[in-house]
């Protein structure tokens, strides 16, 4: 019997692709890790123990066939590995780069529990599909037999793009409407290039365009059309608009110039990476160069702001977070990257006021301590009396997270019901909203979440929309026969 190439986790140690030196990577917006060479990918894939019940897949929101594509990789059957990986995901190379694997697939790998270090699943996933793009194995998007039905997708983020792809394959005319001038949603204008280079996103978008999906960029629903106007034009509508209302800080001086929103800051920086001219960057308002920067928040957006400011040549970058390191929402991997690149974390601290007349000059903050767990089970931070301190600041970036915008008002349709958090309410069995033929998916339903969940929702909602459209097509000729 031929020897299996798998189960090598005892003899072969865990390895990740090498990171560039921190000083070098803080000089540009390129990704920080190299890709595995082919031998390394095969070697790392061979560590998988081919579990009968693969917890990695159970905890991957897409339920990717991880052990199977790891085995194919270890056997050198890369093209088949790609086909399998691609069968459950529209963007495997993107998830391989930016999923928080430590909380999902890798964090639940049995080899991790046995103390050998998980299989490096994300890096292998990225390797497989990057290779497929280079080798020309990624096939063009081919539309299915035309159904004569048309679908509107509002929002070109990962949820909208995934649904658009599957609906096009099913033979529908698909129109994507997005208020930005480029598609991709937060993949394009939120997540910085050092986590996800922009050409990786753009080649996905190009493939969809070449497959006949029509993109209406710089088209804001609510301004350029109402929801009902889109409903009249199309047989079904998907709302995949994400969440964009920044959470506010209430403190004296918060309106001072030089205190900016995280997404305005990141969009300006991402636009610069595309070579655009950005007035607010050129004027210095959204540029950290030479400044003392204070970022407020402890999530992934805050980490992205911190690391962007370092790359723009900030004089100092401090991140203020009201809980401690163990209780922060952001990924520990990203904190470690930020520290290596020169960021300073001020844990257990919250802003009290902002100094400055024409422009901000300092953040006045207070130390916090963790009290009893609150309703969410997390220990609530409370101020420590008499612990006030001051941090010099020429640029303050607010990164406290996002809530949903008021979509029923924005879209001019009061029938569109929302939850008490402002997210769009759907029937979870059909993913349909309170308005007939209007579906919703991604962050606008879940609240701020992850790319991989947006892809999963896009995949699921396409199936539900497909069932709706089929039923509609079936009912249409019957309707025509009914007496008037
Ligand atoms: P989005 O990606 O937000 O896309 C929504 C699209 O809808 C946008 O293009 C927007 O322009 C468009 N739109 C909104 N309103 C309208 C309108 N009225 N008319 C027309 N178009 C409209 N997740 C990870 O998994 N890993 C990470 O490392 C990570 N890093 C992140 C970093 C930052 C800075 C941020 C903000 C988020 C990050 N996330 C990360 C979260 C992730 O980006 C989101 O969960 C995901 O993009 C949600 O996908 P979506 O398709 O629902 O919405
Ligand atoms: Fe892991 Fe994300 Fe890939 Fe799933 S999609 S296998 S969670 S990296
Ligand atoms: Fe392989 Fe780990 Fe998944 Fe088991 S849990 S199948 S060892 S990757």
């Amino acid at each position: 019997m031929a020897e299996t190439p798998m189960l090598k986790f005892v003899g072969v140690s865990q390895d990740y692709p090498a990171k560039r030196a921190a000083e070098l990577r803080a000089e540009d917006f390129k990704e920080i890790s190299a890709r595995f060479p082919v031998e390394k990918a095969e070697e790392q894939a061979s560590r998988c123990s081919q579990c009968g019940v693969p917890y990695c897949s159970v905890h991957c929101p897409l339920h990717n066939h991880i052990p199977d594509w790891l085995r194919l990789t270890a056997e050198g059957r890369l093209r088949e590995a790609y086909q399998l990986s691609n069968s459950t995901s529209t963007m495997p190379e993107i998830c391989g780069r930016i999923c928080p694997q430590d909380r999902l697939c890798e964090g639940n790998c049995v080899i991790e529990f046995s103390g050998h270090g998980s299989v490096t699943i994300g890096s292998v996933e990225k390797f497989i599909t990057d290779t497929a793009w280079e080798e020309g194995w990624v096939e063009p998007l081919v539309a299915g037999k035309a159904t004569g039905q048309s679908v509107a997708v509002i929002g070109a983020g990962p949820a909208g793009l995934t649904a658009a792809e599957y609906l096009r394959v099913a033979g529908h005319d698909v129109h994507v409407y997005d208020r930005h001038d480029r598609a991709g949603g937060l993949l394009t204008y939120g997540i910085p290039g050092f986590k996800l280079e922009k050409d990786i996103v753009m080649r996905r978008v190009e493939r969809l365009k070449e497959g006949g999906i029509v993109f209406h960029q710089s088209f804001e629903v609510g301004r350029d059309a109402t929801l009902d106007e889109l409903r009249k034009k199309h047989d079904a509508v998907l709302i995949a608009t994400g969440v964009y209302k920044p959470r506010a800080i209430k403190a004296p001086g918060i309106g001072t110039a030089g205190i900016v929103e995280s997404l305005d800051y990141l969009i300006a920086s991402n636009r610069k990476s595309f070579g655009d001219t950005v007035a607010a960057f050129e004027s210095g308002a959204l540029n950290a160069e030479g400044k003392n920067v204070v970022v407020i928040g402890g999530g992934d957006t805050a980490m992205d702001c911190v690391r962007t400011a370092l790359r723009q040549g900030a004089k100092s970058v401090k991140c203020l977070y009201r809980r401690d390191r163990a209780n922060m929402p952001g990924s520990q991997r990203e904190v470690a990257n930020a520290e290596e690149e020169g960021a300073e974390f001020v844990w257990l601290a919250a802003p009290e006021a902002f100094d400055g007349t024409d422009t901000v000059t300092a953040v006045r903050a207070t130390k916090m301590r963790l009290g009893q767990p609150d309703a969410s089970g997390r220990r609530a931070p409370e101020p420590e009396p008499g612990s006030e301190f001051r941090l010099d600041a020429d640029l303050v970036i607010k990164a406290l997270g996002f809530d949903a915008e008021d979509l029923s008002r924005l879209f001019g349709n009061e029938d569109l019901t929302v939850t008490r958090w402002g997210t769009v309410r759907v029937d979870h069995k059909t993913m349909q909203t309170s308005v007939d033929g209007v579906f919703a998916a991604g962050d606008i339903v879940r609240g701020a979440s992850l790319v991989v969940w947006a892809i999963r929702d896009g995949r699921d909602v396409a199936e539900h929309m497909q069932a709706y459209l089929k039923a509609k097509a079936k009912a249409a000729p019957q309707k025509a026969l009914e007496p008037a």
Side-chain angles (χ1 to χ4, degrees):
M1 217 166 72
E3 196 208 341
T4 171
M6 306 306 287
L7 294 112
K8 301 278 184 344
F9 60 91
V10 177
V12 177
S13 328
Q14 183 196 50
D15 206 358
Y16 285 93
K19 284 199 268 183
R20 292 192 286 140
E23 320 80 76
L24 291 180
R25 63 191 206 231
E27 281 175 9
D28 61 40
F29 284 84
K30 298 206 176 86
E31 286 174 12
I32 67 166
S33 298
R35 196 205 305 167
F36 277 144
V38 63
E39 310 73 41
K40 199 66 171 173
E42 289 176 3
E43 176 207 85
Q44 288 297 302
S46 77
R47 298 180 67 244
C48 170
S49 75
Q50 300 285 283
C51 306
V53 180
Y55 286 110
C56 53
S57 303
V58 173
H59 290 271
C60 163
L62 295 168
H63 301 315
N64 282 341
H65 305 303
I66 300 167
D68 300 323
W69 47 252
L70 286 172
R71 180 177 45 76
L72 290 166
T73 304
E75 290 172 355
R77 295 159 64 189
L78 270 185
R79 191 167 187 161
E80 291 163 81
Y82 159 69
Q83 281 160 348
L84 194 60
S85 163
N86 191 57
S87 69
T88 48
S89 176
T90 51
M91 308 179 183
E93 74 284 23
I94 293 180
C95 292
R97 286 172 163 83
I98 57 166
C99 269
Q101 285 99 10
D102 50 342
R103 286 191 261 146
L104 300 170
C105 53
E106 295 181 16
N108 289 282
C109 172
V110 291
I111 295 180
E112 176 75 19
F113 298 137
S114 69
H116 290 89
S118 70
V119 179
T120 47
I121 300 167
S123 306
V124 176
E125 186 180 32
K126 166 182 153 179
F127 166 82
I128 294 170
T129 299
D130 278 351
T131 307
W133 278 101
E134 275 170 23
E135 295 292 328
W137 301 336
V138 177
E139 281 160 16
L141 169 60
V142 180
K145 188 164 166 283
T147 61
Q149 288 176 305
S150 150
V151 177
V153 174
I154 312 172
L161 293 183
T162 297
E165 175 164 346
Y166 288 123
L167 289 165
R168 185 71 188 134
V169 168
H172 305 298
D173 287 339
V174 180
H175 291 257
V176 178
Y177 299 87
D178 197 287
R179 64 182 168 199
H180 278 307
D181 55 346
R182 292 185 179 93
L186 291 171
L187 300 176
T188 298
Y189 281 137
I191 300 171
F194 49 82
K195 278 163 62 180
L196 175 63
E197 283 174 18
K198 299 302 147 189
D199 53 347
I200 308 289
V201 184
M202 290 303 131
R203 69 185 177 190
R204 281 275 164 207
V205 173
E206 280 312 308
R207 180 174 165 275
L208 300 184
K209 282 186 186 163
E210 284 160 15
I213 294 175
V214 183
F215 284 83
H216 304 261
Q217 296 299 151
S218 305
F219 189 110
E220 181 167 334
V221 179
R223 183 193 66 192
D224 300 317
T226 63
L227 180 60
D228 282 338
E229 283 165 353
L230 289 186
R231 288 177 72 211
K232 283 198 193 105
K233 261 175 122 171
H234 302 279
D235 293 288
V237 177
L238 171 63
I239 301 175
T241 49
V243 288
Y244 285 91
K245 190 170 85 188
R247 292 195 188 127
I249 299 176
K250 286 195 190 107
I254 189 67
T256 313
I259 304 176
V260 302
E261 295 295 348
S262 58
L263 211 49
D264 293 342
Y265 176 70
L266 292 174
I267 290 174
S269 174
N270 277 315
R271 280 193 179 287
K272 289 304 296 174
S273 300
F274 278 106
D276 295 356
T277 305
V278 182
F281 182 88
E282 283 15 289
S283 74
L286 295 176
N287 183 356
E289 189 177 358
K291 294 181 179 169
N292 290 310
V293 179
V294 175
V295 177
I296 301 171
D300 286 336
T301 304
M303 296 313 115
D304 288 350
C305 291
V306 161
R307 298 177 66 202
T308 296
L310 287 162
R311 282 161 176 76
Q312 289 177 349
K315 196 164 147 197
S316 72
V317 182
K318 295 192 171 66
C319 182
L320 214 66
Y321 180 55
R322 62 197 180 128
R323 291 188 166 92
D324 60 8
R325 187 181 193 128
N327 286 288
M328 67 178 296
S331 143
Q332 294 295 333
R333 182 180 66 183
E334 295 304 303
V335 180
N337 284 333
E339 280 179 331
E340 285 167 17
E341 290 162 12
E344 190 187 318
F345 285 84
V346 187
W347 305 110
L348 290 164
E352 290 262 279
F354 300 90
D355 289 345
T357 38
D358 294 339
T359 183
V360 70
T361 53
V363 179
R364 277 189 275 137
T366 182
K367 282 279 181 204
M368 308 293 280
R369 61 182 173 220
L370 293 178
Q372 293 304 311
D374 59 17
S376 70
R378 294 169 79 199
R379 290 175 66 195
E382 51 194 39
E384 254 187 54
S387 66
E388 291 76 16
F389 65 101
R390 188 181 178 280
L391 294 173
D392 286 340
D394 316 302
L395 177 67
V396 175
I397 304 172
K398 296 181 280 176
L400 280 89
F402 302 93
D403 290 316
E405 292 164 291
D406 183 353
L407 276 201
S408 38
R409 189 186 51 77
L410 215 69
F411 284 5
N413 190 325
E414 294 299 327
D415 295 335
L416 184 72
T417 55
V418 296
T419 66
R420 66 191 165 106
W421 298 279
T423 49
V424 172
R425 190 185 291 282
V426 293
D427 173 341
H428 285 285
K429 284 202 214 82
T430 61
M431 297 179 83
Q432 196 167 186
T433 67
S434 52
V435 180
D436 181 51
V438 178
F439 296 75
D443 278 8
I444 192 59
V445 176
R446 292 180 180 275
S449 178
L450 293 173
V451 169
V452 66
W453 278 114
I455 295 173
R456 166 68 188 272
D457 285 355
R459 196 174 81 181
D460 290 349
V461 83
E463 240 177 70
H464 292 301
M465 291 176 79
Q466 177 63 349
Y468 172 89
L469 289 163
K470 269 194 184 153
K472 191 169 177 172
K474 223 170 159 190
Q478 264 172 11
K479 261 214 161 129
L481 294 177
E482 279 168 17

